[in-house]
């Protein structure tokens, strides 16, 4: 059973935190459109292996909530949230696990404030070198206005569409076995652009449901309370975060485990391999037949590899 939330004060937030176990601390950072509940398979497994597993609802999500303004979701504020969490928990350092936006935050934290990170475990999203131009403009040029990250900058159309029918949103977005890497690579370029608005417009979806009805309803209830705008505000700081990283050394020397999900087709294999020049102490584990929602699609494999890696390093 997923634990009940308790609350800690950090950086002006009342952060909801879910915890199991005792021992060395592992902090789990979720992505979009997720919650601490996304780690429901990892917390008991890591607790059983002798670790203290801690998963917060991050700023703007779930029971944590947050302010309305976009600027409050920049990387500097997000890192202060995590440092305040560590302080509240009496932790000088911790192992961190990140997926999706949680992975991006973790990479940025490793560059800006590495002193509080013991080890890094990242699922799906590799460490990218800083682009020479504004990444939003770069994405607009390459992928067009329909690309979901670009669309998020231009209007609140997505916020309203997702909030109007969150049951349908989670039914069509959180899926597995949708398309293989081999099949995706054969598609024309225009069919490779991820538009969440077009995804929402579908009445039928490929692949299989990732969530049971009970699990889906947990996510739905949380987003009915909090809405989608605050989580989407993380994306609206893409340019601001890029500016903040100007001149920051991108090389990371912290021991790192990376999970490459073969069928997460947003990520190119060359992006994973190129990390070897930026992450000096890197182990890569491939998850076959796995898409974007790795820790929920392949919980047994993810848990086993994490425990083995932590106990061996």
């Amino acid at each position: 059973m997923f634990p009940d939330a308790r609350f800690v004060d950090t950086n002006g937030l009342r952060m909801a935190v879910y915890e199991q176990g005792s021992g060395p601390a592992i902090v789990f950072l979720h992505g979009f459109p997720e919650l601490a509940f996304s780690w429901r398979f990892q917390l008991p497994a890591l607790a059983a292996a002798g670790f203290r597993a801690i998963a917060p609802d991050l700023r703007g999500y779930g029971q944590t909530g947050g302010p309305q303004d976009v600027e409050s979701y920049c990387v500097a504020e997000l890192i202060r949230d995590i440092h305040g969490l560590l302080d509240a928990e009496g932790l000088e350092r911790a192992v961190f696990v990140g997926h999706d936006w949680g992975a991006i935050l973790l990479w940025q934290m490793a560059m800006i404030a590495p002193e509080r990170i013991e080890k890094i475990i990242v699922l799906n999203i590799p460490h990218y070198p800083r682009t020479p131009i504004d990444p939003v403009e770069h994405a607009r040029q390459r992928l067009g206005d329909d690309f979901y990250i670009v669309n998020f900058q231009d209007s609140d159309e997505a916020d309203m569409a997702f909030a109007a029918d969150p049951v349908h949103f989670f039914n069509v977005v959180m899926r597995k076995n949708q398309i293989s890497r081999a099949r995706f690579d054969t598609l024309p370029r225009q069919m490779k652009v991820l538009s969440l608005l077009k995804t929402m417009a579908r009445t039928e979806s490929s692949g299989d449901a990732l969530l049971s009805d009970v699990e889906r309803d947990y996510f739905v209830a949380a987003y009915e309370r909090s809405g989608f705008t605050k989580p989407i505000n993380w994306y609206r700081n893409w340019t601001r975060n890029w500016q903040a990283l100007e001149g920051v050394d991108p090389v990371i020397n912290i021991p790192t485990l990376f999970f490459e999900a073969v069928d997460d087709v947003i990520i190119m294999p060359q992006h994973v391999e190129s990390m070897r020049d930026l992450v000096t102490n890197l182990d890569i584990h491939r998850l076959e037949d796995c898409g974007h929602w790795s820790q929920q699609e392949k919980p047994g494999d993810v848990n086993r590899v994490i425990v083995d890696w932590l106990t061996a390093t």
Side-chain angles (χ1 to χ4, degrees), residues 162-173 216-217 220 224 228:
F162 303 163
D165 194 348
V167 171
H168 182 62
F169 174 82
F170 283 101
N171 280 342
V172 298
V173 169
R216 181 204 60 207
D217 291 347
V220 168
E224 284 179 336
F228 287 84

Side-chain angles (χ1 to χ4, degrees), residues 151-152 155-163 196-197 228 232 236:
N151 171 264
F152 286 168
S155 75
D156 61 356
E157 182 182 10
D159 313 38
M160 294 188 294
F162 303 163
L196 290 182
L197 286 173
F228 287 84
I232 290 174
R236 293 174 176 138

